[in-house]
Amino acid sequence: MDRLEGVRQRKLRGIVCRWGNQVRRETLLIPVFQADYKVRGFIGISSRVRPVWYSGVPITVERRELAFKGYGARAATPLPECDPEAFQGAFYFDPSYAVRSLAYSPLGHPDLLQAVNLAGQKLNGHTVHDVVFERTWHRVRGFILRKGLLSFESISVMRIPGLANALQARKERRPRYPAPPPARPPGRSGATGEEVLREATRTEL
């Protein structure tokens, strides 16, 4: 298959992110990008701590470490407090469905549902298997499509005139719960990354 130069989404595990005085090693780091393929920011999910939103793109990239401009903040924004417009008309690739679990968790984050998960979607008749980003993480370079059990094809964004129109949309199903999600206990600030990751595993269809 044609080879796209860049960094693949599926390799984004155990990435160290620096924002001001905050340093976190993210179990999952999920870029969120626009229809023009520019990256808006990253959702960081780690065990035992709340998910956060890294707005914008990293200012430095060194192997498995990204540093962001803090804009005066000492830490990245907790996900429930981020600007809801960040997810309007946006796209991301999350085969673990951790982001979907965030939206339906006790934490709740309905704005996440405004973004489209490309996992399981079809592009040019083939399922999206991975997303390739520039090494600077500013833009999407292309997609890896699954053509068969062990057959893949890479496609550059230059060959896709409009992502929203090119997708053969597959409606994402809501996770099955035995009962409505429980109310958030008093004083609790939100679900931890560990709970989200566990719920993503439990609810994946």
Side-chain angles (χ1 to χ4, degrees), residues 100 173-179 199 202-205:
R100 181 183 66 178
R173 296 167 62 187
R174 176 171 178 152
R176 292 189 293 258
Y177 283 91
E199 188 63 25
R202 185 176 74 85
T203 60
E204 188 171 347
L205 300 176

mmCIF file of all heavy atoms in Angstrom, residues 100 173-179 199 202-205:
data_model
loop_
_atom_site.group_PDB
_atom_site.id
_atom_site.type_symbol
_atom_site.label_atom_id
_atom_site.label_comp_id
_atom_site.label_asym_id
_atom_site.label_seq_id
_atom_site.Cartn_x
_atom_site.Cartn_y
_atom_site.Cartn_z
ATOM 1 N N ARG A 100 -16.979 8.222 23.861
ATOM 2 C CA ARG A 100 -18.417 7.960 23.942
ATOM 3 C C ARG A 100 -18.820 7.636 25.378
ATOM 4 O O ARG A 100 -19.851 8.086 25.866
ATOM 5 C CB ARG A 100 -18.799 6.798 23.019
ATOM 6 C CG ARG A 100 -20.288 6.469 23.034
ATOM 7 C CD ARG A 100 -20.594 5.275 22.169
ATOM 8 N NE ARG A 100 -19.992 4.057 22.699
ATOM 9 C CZ ARG A 100 -20.143 2.862 22.142
ATOM 10 N NH1 ARG A 100 -20.839 2.737 21.037
ATOM 11 N NH2 ARG A 100 -19.582 1.800 22.677
ATOM 12 N N ARG A 173 -24.237 3.842 18.108
ATOM 13 C CA ARG A 173 -25.273 3.401 19.030
ATOM 14 C C ARG A 173 -24.922 3.794 20.448
ATOM 15 O O ARG A 173 -23.772 3.803 20.847
ATOM 16 C CB ARG A 173 -25.434 1.887 18.926
ATOM 17 C CG ARG A 173 -25.918 1.440 17.561
ATOM 18 C CD ARG A 173 -25.761 -0.056 17.400
ATOM 19 N NE ARG A 173 -26.551 -0.786 18.372
ATOM 20 C CZ ARG A 173 -26.493 -2.104 18.525
ATOM 21 N NH1 ARG A 173 -25.675 -2.811 17.777
ATOM 22 N NH2 ARG A 173 -27.246 -2.703 19.419
ATOM 23 N N ARG A 174 -25.942 4.096 21.227
ATOM 24 C CA ARG A 174 -25.728 4.449 22.626
ATOM 25 C C ARG A 174 -25.386 3.191 23.414
ATOM 26 O O ARG A 174 -25.976 2.134 23.193
ATOM 27 C CB ARG A 174 -27.004 5.089 23.192
ATOM 28 C CG ARG A 174 -26.894 5.400 24.671
ATOM 29 C CD ARG A 174 -28.068 6.227 25.125
ATOM 30 N NE ARG A 174 -27.987 6.474 26.561
ATOM 31 C CZ ARG A 174 -28.491 7.525 27.155
ATOM 32 N NH1 ARG A 174 -29.093 8.438 26.435
ATOM 33 N NH2 ARG A 174 -28.402 7.677 28.459
ATOM 34 N N PRO A 175 -24.419 3.287 24.354
ATOM 35 C CA PRO A 175 -24.092 2.116 25.167
ATOM 36 C C PRO A 175 -25.301 1.606 25.922
ATOM 37 O O PRO A 175 -26.169 2.373 26.329
ATOM 38 C CB PRO A 175 -23.030 2.652 26.133
ATOM 39 C CG PRO A 175 -22.480 3.860 25.464
ATOM 40 C CD PRO A 175 -23.614 4.445 24.678
ATOM 41 N N ARG A 176 -25.356 0.302 26.108
ATOM 42 C CA ARG A 176 -26.464 -0.300 26.848
ATOM 43 C C ARG A 176 -26.180 -0.251 28.337
ATOM 44 O O ARG A 176 -25.135 -0.690 28.803
ATOM 45 C CB ARG A 176 -26.654 -1.759 26.405
ATOM 46 C CG ARG A 176 -27.159 -1.903 24.986
ATOM 47 C CD ARG A 176 -27.528 -3.350 24.732
ATOM 48 N NE ARG A 176 -26.353 -4.195 24.749
ATOM 49 C CZ ARG A 176 -25.762 -4.658 23.672
ATOM 50 N NH1 ARG A 176 -26.226 -4.353 22.488
ATOM 51 N NH2 ARG A 176 -24.689 -5.421 23.754
ATOM 52 N N TYR A 177 -27.085 0.311 29.087
ATOM 53 C CA TYR A 177 -26.977 0.347 30.541
ATOM 54 C C TYR A 177 -28.118 -0.475 31.135
ATOM 55 O O TYR A 177 -29.252 -0.422 30.642
ATOM 56 C CB TYR A 177 -27.092 1.783 31.075
ATOM 57 C CG TYR A 177 -25.850 2.602 30.890
ATOM 58 C CD1 TYR A 177 -25.672 3.382 29.750
ATOM 59 C CD2 TYR A 177 -24.845 2.590 31.850
ATOM 60 C CE1 TYR A 177 -24.532 4.145 29.580
ATOM 61 C CE2 TYR A 177 -23.695 3.352 31.691
ATOM 62 C CZ TYR A 177 -23.548 4.131 30.562
ATOM 63 O OH TYR A 177 -22.429 4.873 30.393
ATOM 64 N N PRO A 178 -27.883 -1.205 32.216
ATOM 65 C CA PRO A 178 -28.971 -1.925 32.868
ATOM 66 C C PRO A 178 -29.966 -0.975 33.503
ATOM 67 O O PRO A 178 -31.106 -1.315 33.747
ATOM 68 C CB PRO A 178 -28.252 -2.762 33.937
ATOM 69 C CG PRO A 178 -26.966 -2.055 34.160
ATOM 70 C CD PRO A 178 -26.595 -1.443 32.846
ATOM 71 N N ALA A 179 -29.533 0.249 33.774
ATOM 72 C CA ALA A 179 -30.394 1.277 34.359
ATOM 73 C C ALA A 179 -29.813 2.618 33.936
ATOM 74 O O ALA A 179 -28.680 2.690 33.464
ATOM 75 C CB ALA A 179 -30.408 1.137 35.880
ATOM 76 N N GLU A 199 -15.462 1.712 31.630
ATOM 77 C CA GLU A 199 -16.786 1.773 31.020
ATOM 78 C C GLU A 199 -16.704 1.602 29.502
ATOM 79 O O GLU A 199 -17.557 0.978 28.882
ATOM 80 C CB GLU A 199 -17.438 3.129 31.342
ATOM 81 C CG GLU A 199 -18.891 3.233 30.925
ATOM 82 C CD GLU A 199 -19.787 2.247 31.654
ATOM 83 O OE1 GLU A 199 -19.442 1.816 32.770
ATOM 84 O OE2 GLU A 199 -20.844 1.921 31.087
ATOM 85 N N ARG A 202 -16.515 -1.992 28.874
ATOM 86 C CA ARG A 202 -17.764 -2.691 29.196
ATOM 87 C C ARG A 202 -18.846 -2.436 28.161
ATOM 88 O O ARG A 202 -19.656 -3.299 27.849
ATOM 89 C CB ARG A 202 -18.274 -2.234 30.563
ATOM 90 C CG ARG A 202 -19.503 -2.997 31.051
ATOM 91 C CD ARG A 202 -19.889 -2.550 32.442
ATOM 92 N NE ARG A 202 -20.515 -1.253 32.428
ATOM 93 C CZ ARG A 202 -21.822 -1.059 32.199
ATOM 94 N NH1 ARG A 202 -22.588 -2.088 31.898
ATOM 95 N NH2 ARG A 202 -22.331 0.141 32.221
ATOM 96 N N THR A 203 -18.872 -1.212 27.578
ATOM 97 C CA THR A 203 -19.995 -0.851 26.716
ATOM 98 C C THR A 203 -19.702 -1.003 25.238
ATOM 99 O O THR A 203 -20.570 -0.788 24.420
ATOM 100 C CB THR A 203 -20.400 0.621 26.972
ATOM 101 O OG1 THR A 203 -19.266 1.447 26.689
ATOM 102 C CG2 THR A 203 -20.838 0.815 28.404
ATOM 103 N N GLU A 204 -18.471 -1.365 24.877
ATOM 104 C CA GLU A 204 -18.165 -1.490 23.447
ATOM 105 C C GLU A 204 -19.002 -2.586 22.824
ATOM 106 O O GLU A 204 -19.104 -3.686 23.343
ATOM 107 C CB GLU A 204 -16.677 -1.782 23.272
ATOM 108 C CG GLU A 204 -16.265 -1.734 21.816
ATOM 109 C CD GLU A 204 -14.756 -1.817 21.674
ATOM 110 O OE1 GLU A 204 -14.051 -1.667 22.688
ATOM 111 O OE2 GLU A 204 -14.308 -2.042 20.547
ATOM 112 N N LEU A 205 -19.608 -2.276 21.693
ATOM 113 C CA LEU A 205 -20.562 -3.199 21.062
ATOM 114 C C LEU A 205 -19.873 -4.017 19.986
ATOM 115 O O LEU A 205 -18.985 -3.524 19.345
ATOM 116 C CB LEU A 205 -21.700 -2.394 20.461
ATOM 117 C CG LEU A 205 -22.480 -1.539 21.481
ATOM 118 C CD1 LEU A 205 -23.522 -0.713 20.751
ATOM 119 C CD2 LEU A 205 -23.138 -2.416 22.532
#
